[in-house]
Amino acid sequence: MDTNISNLMTFELIAPFSWVHGIMISIFDGVKSVLQISENDPGLALLLVHLNANLKAVFNDPRSMFVSTSVREYLFDGVRFCINPQGIAKAICNQIKESGSKTIREKSDGSLAFSFFGHKNGSGHEVYEVHTGKGDPMRVLEIQKLDDSHNLQVWLNASSEGETSVCNQINGTDASAYPPFRQRGDSMYIFSADICRSVQLFYQTDIQYQGIPGYRYSIGENFINDIGPEHDNECFCVDKLANVIKRKNGCLYAGALDLTTCLDAPVILTLPHMLGASNEYRKMIRGLKPDAKKHQTFVDVQSLTGTPLQGGKRVQFNMFLKSINRIGITENLPTVLMPAIWVEEGIQLNGEMVAFFKKKLINTLKTLNIVHWATLCGGIGVAVACLIYYIYQRGRVVEPPVK
């Protein structure tokens, strides 16, 4: 982001859910790329049996599915497992490592570590090709290509060969700036590489940010509520997870999006505190307090320039807690979508930029507006004076005497 824009990021470990639930699933997600995603694959049956017998060696002698760790390890450094495995345990750890999950990486000592955002630390390797706005200012900074490709290859594509689905289309900017000349009632797109999809933002209301007028935009129902064949976007229904809470057609219920193919890990996206999510997911979780003011994604934009004034990108990452076939330690677990963490990534135009913006744009526009009306009123005044003078002069014309 531009250094003149304040960046704010907040992580909330969902309370009162013990956040070690997330770790509990997180550590098991070391194998979920092999187990949960392919749980119905008969070829993995032998691996599951061996894993059950080698849990102690693979997962550091777990007493239960719950472990304690630090926030830093959970989010970035990684919760370590597969520490000096031997024999079959070593083969299992190699299988986990080769699964290619972005959330798992090998440490310098050969152990493995799971973290939610470790793969994002020091990242930013994506190469964007964007529109310059030449010939069409409404397309300025619009993403044309990501890593030399016009589309993603993450979600399902249409059955016709070579036809890209709406889910894999890259639309909009990267959210650092927006097209200028915004109008009330319009919408715009941003592309988020974090969740591998484009997101449509809709006009909500006029706002004032420290004296700068703008428009507020927010996500709509089509973000994660309206997903499925009835909404012509069933390409988001990757249906990679077995024995979880989902509809008969493989799509998740409203308010949840399966990021398995995006993150190479069985992570489910919702809004914080499952705001707007279906009761199928909320009814088994205590402590949820959804609040649109706190948990909705929004951005305030200066309408003329498209400059972001403030905003908050708020999402929650969840995982299905469930029994895994042939893994004894999970046999009594209920099937429930367990919140792990919600993240708010925010921006605010800082004081220096606010002052600059007011001086160079707002005050200039006010001056031009005054000049405009002064000129208009002056022109009308001159026209009226000329008309009065003309009428006055007509009245003074004296007709010549009759001879």
Side-chain angles (χ1 to χ4, degrees), residues 24-43:
M24 163 268 296
I25 308 172
S26 299
I27 288 186
F28 245 67
D29 278 333
V31 291
K32 276 190 176 178
S33 294
V34 180
L35 302 182
Q36 196 181 89
I37 297 176
S38 304
E39 193 172 8
N40 293 330
D41 187 344

Side-chain angles (χ1 to χ4, degrees), residues 6-12 75-76 117 120 194 313 342-347:
S6 300
N7 294 285
L8 310 172
M9 180 171 284
T10 301
F11 299 96
E12 179 173 320
L75 298 181
F76 298 108
F117 303 111
K120 290 293 182 180
D194 293 338
K313 182 171 67 175
W342 77 269
V343 182
E344 176 174 353
E345 184 178 0
I347 60 170

